[in-house]
Amino acid sequence: INLNEIMGDASPVDYWTEAHEVDDAGKTLKLNVKKEAYGLGSRFDAQLFRTVVENVLADQDVAVVLDFSDIEIVSMSFADELINKLQKRIGIDQFIRRVRIVNLSRECRSIFSGIFDLI
């Protein structure tokens, strides 16, 4: 089913995207890791969350802010699965241009800096 053919110039409202927009142009989406991830301790948890991030980046030309507010620590495997695999899948240039990581605790910053040199 092609929604463009059915709806013509009209397009459905994507409420999930609208709820995550942080600018009026809709060019930046913020994902609260604590609320959006299914957990913070395993590769599987990170894989599920990374899939959400990858889908957002693939569907739209937007930047994604990964907000780690209120998270004291994540596992090394979570950080590796999320950051390194995301960077490898979309490429370092796209990662630098389109992904921002904010509000890392001191402990998270230590873990992330151990697995990713650009943080």
Side-chain angles (χ1 to χ4, degrees):
I1 297 175
N2 185 332
L3 288 178
N4 289 333
E5 288 178 15
I6 295 170
M7 301 184 77
D9 291 335
S11 61
V13 175
D14 183 344
Y15 291 112
W16 186 91
T17 298
E18 278 190 0
H20 290 83
E21 290 175 351
V22 294
D23 62 351
D24 291 337
K27 292 295 184 181
T28 305
L29 303 181
K30 182 187 278 187
L31 302 178
N32 183 305
V33 178
K34 186 173 185 175
K35 292 178 183 175
E36 304 276 344
Y38 299 96
L40 304 170
S42 72
R43 286 190 179 278
F44 184 72
D45 294 337
Q47 179 184 8
L48 293 173
F49 181 65
R50 189 188 73 241
T51 300
V52 171
V53 177
E54 288 173 348
N55 288 341
V56 169
L57 292 171
D59 288 345
Q60 306 171 53
D61 184 24
V62 295
V64 174
V65 176
L66 302 178
D67 184 0
F68 281 79
S69 293
D70 301 319
I71 297 174
E72 290 186 37
I73 195 161
V74 298
S75 71
M76 179 74 86
S77 58
F78 180 92
D80 179 56
E81 185 74 23
L82 176 60
I83 301 304
N84 281 338
K85 290 221 177 150
L86 180 60
Q87 181 266 137
K88 287 177 183 171
R89 287 177 184 253
I90 68 172
I92 189 69
D93 293 337
Q94 286 293 314
F95 187 90
I96 290 169
R97 186 174 77 77
R98 299 179 67 197
V99 178
R100 298 286 175 263
I101 301 169
V102 299
N103 298 321
L104 287 173
S105 68
R106 186 173 4 141
E107 293 82 3
C108 284
R109 184 172 295 279
S110 175
I111 289 169
F112 277 60
S113 68
I115 59 119
F116 194 62
D117 293 333
L118 297 178
I119 295 177

